[in-house]
Amino acid sequence: MAAGEPRDGGGYYFRFLPHRTFSSLSAREITSRLRQWSMLGRIQAQAFSFDQTFQPYQKDDFVMAFFKDPNVIPNLQLLSDSSGQWTTLGSEVKKIEAINVPCTQLSMSFFQRLYDENIVRESGHIVKCLDSFCDPFLISDELRKVLLMEDSEKYEVFSPVEREEFLFCLFKHLCLGGSLCQYEDVLKPYLETAKLIYKDLVSVRKHPRTKEIQITSSVFKVKAYDSIGVCYPSPKEHEQTFSYFVVDPIKRHVNVLYHCYGVGHMA
């Protein structure tokens, strides 16, 4: 290729990094929790490297180039709607949607208000309530009210902006789980698992001058469309079916966190 000649797909080349593992999803204690939450076997993270500088305003070109890349197409995993098995993209992506997800939280103290507002007792137990439904989720405790019921009095303990934070999204996804999710009675497993996944996916560095810890990753919630409609993360849309791209512009890595709502592994 001649110097200065533009490349197809926005100028990025990608490489799959099969040796980059994510202990936050594979450690024994975590897999046991994911099994209880009906997410095991339906959630996974993969890493890819890329070869150009990245700026957040380039997200659409970046994501489109990703889905067109010959190293991504045979390696990016998703769950087949028909067989329920892991597979790869079987159709050509025509359009993408990449929504910016704020990622600024550096501490789990973000969730301290759940204790302060008596959603969780001092002991760590989640306060129960009368069962109700917020389709398709069963609400049997105050935590799920905060997550799902906009008309509940405690919903406002997190502002609309805070609810968009990547850490909040991870926490909420874990709390709601898959279609046969068994809810926890205590908060700790949700917080611990969200923290581990967050730390595994998101990059930080010390500011050279101020020595303050800074998050360097950009996060995007991604959908891809083929000629028929949504093809990734799944043709069946659901609040709990998602793919987040966590882009580290310094290492030039992108971590892809994927989950498809359904019945997780039981055994």
Side-chain angles (χ1 to χ4, degrees):
M1 185 178 282
E5 189 180 317
R7 301 179 190 175
D8 292 338
Y12 293 96
Y13 284 149
F14 293 87
R15 202 159 54 89
F16 178 44
L17 303 174
H19 301 301
R20 163 69 165 105
T21 55
F22 295 87
S23 58
S24 61
L25 292 173
S26 58
R28 183 179 293 177
E29 192 175 2
I30 303 300
T31 56
S32 156
R33 288 173 188 168
L34 293 172
R35 182 181 292 113
Q36 180 176 330
W37 303 336
S38 197
M39 297 175 91
L40 190 64
R42 304 190 70 86
I43 186 169
Q44 76 158 304
Q46 292 180 284
F48 297 82
S49 64
F50 56 93
D51 67 330
Q52 302 274 303
T53 54
F54 171 81
Q55 299 288 343
Y57 72 83
Q58 299 167 305
K59 67 182 172 62
D60 291 351
D61 288 342
F62 178 87
V63 173
M64 193 57 163
F66 180 86
F67 282 109
K68 298 279 190 190
D69 192 283
N71 292 315
V72 169
I73 293 165
N75 289 304
L76 181 68
Q77 297 278 296
L78 65 154
L79 276 169
S80 161
D81 196 31
S82 50
S83 71
Q85 301 297 309
W86 287 99
T87 182
T88 52
L89 274 171
S91 54
E92 188 189 349
V93 169
K94 303 284 190 188
K95 188 179 85 164
I96 61 93
E97 186 180 279
I99 298 167
N100 190 41
V101 178
C103 185
T104 64
Q105 294 301 320
L106 286 164
S107 163
M108 298 306 284
S109 61
F110 183 63
F111 296 104
Q112 176 58 38
R113 66 196 83 180
L114 294 174
Y115 293 92
D116 300 342
E117 297 289 337
N118 296 323
I119 292 148
V120 178
R121 301 188 199 284
E122 267 183 50
S123 63
H125 284 77
I126 300 162
V127 175
K128 301 290 183 197
C129 67
L130 291 173
D131 285 0
S132 60
F133 273 93
C134 186
D135 198 49
F137 303 106
L138 170 67
I139 293 179
S140 56
D141 58 48
E142 294 293 334
L143 176 59
R144 259 148 278 276
K145 272 191 185 176
V146 166
L147 296 177
L148 292 166
M149 290 181 69
E150 292 183 30
D151 57 353
S152 93
E153 60 194 64
K154 300 280 176 77
Y155 190 81
E156 288 171 10
V157 301
F158 292 97
S159 71
V161 173
E162 287 170 329
R163 287 173 178 274
E164 291 176 4
E165 277 283 338
F166 185 46
L167 182 59
F168 184 90
C169 294
L170 279 179
F171 172 75
K172 181 178 176 179
H173 286 312
L174 294 172
C175 290
L176 299 180
S179 58
L180 293 179
C181 179
Q182 299 170 49
Y183 295 154
E184 298 284 349
D185 291 323
V186 291
L187 185 65
K188 191 179 174 188
Y190 296 130
L191 289 184
E192 278 184 353
T193 311
K195 179 182 179 179
L196 288 168
I197 296 173
Y198 191 70
K199 284 181 75 172
D200 221 356
L201 296 175
V202 173
S203 300
V204 295
R205 68 165 182 182
K206 255 189 188 161
H207 189 282
R209 194 167 41 81
T210 65
K211 303 294 185 231
E212 281 187 3
I213 300 290
Q214 293 178 315
I215 290 172
T216 54
S217 299
S218 294
V219 183
F220 309 105
K221 193 173 188 181
V222 170
K223 270 186 203 172
Y225 298 77
D226 60 15
S227 53
I228 299 165
V230 177
C231 61
Y232 179 89
S234 169
K236 272 191 188 158
E237 297 200 60
H238 192 284
E239 187 176 347
Q240 285 290 89
T241 293
F242 55 80
S243 180
Y244 292 100
F245 284 27
V246 183
V247 183
D248 180 337
I250 297 168
K251 278 189 187 162
R252 293 186 179 173
H253 283 184
V254 53
N255 295 327
V256 177
L257 178 68
Y258 174 99
H259 176 252
C260 185
Y261 181 77
V263 178
H265 289 174
M266 316 283 275

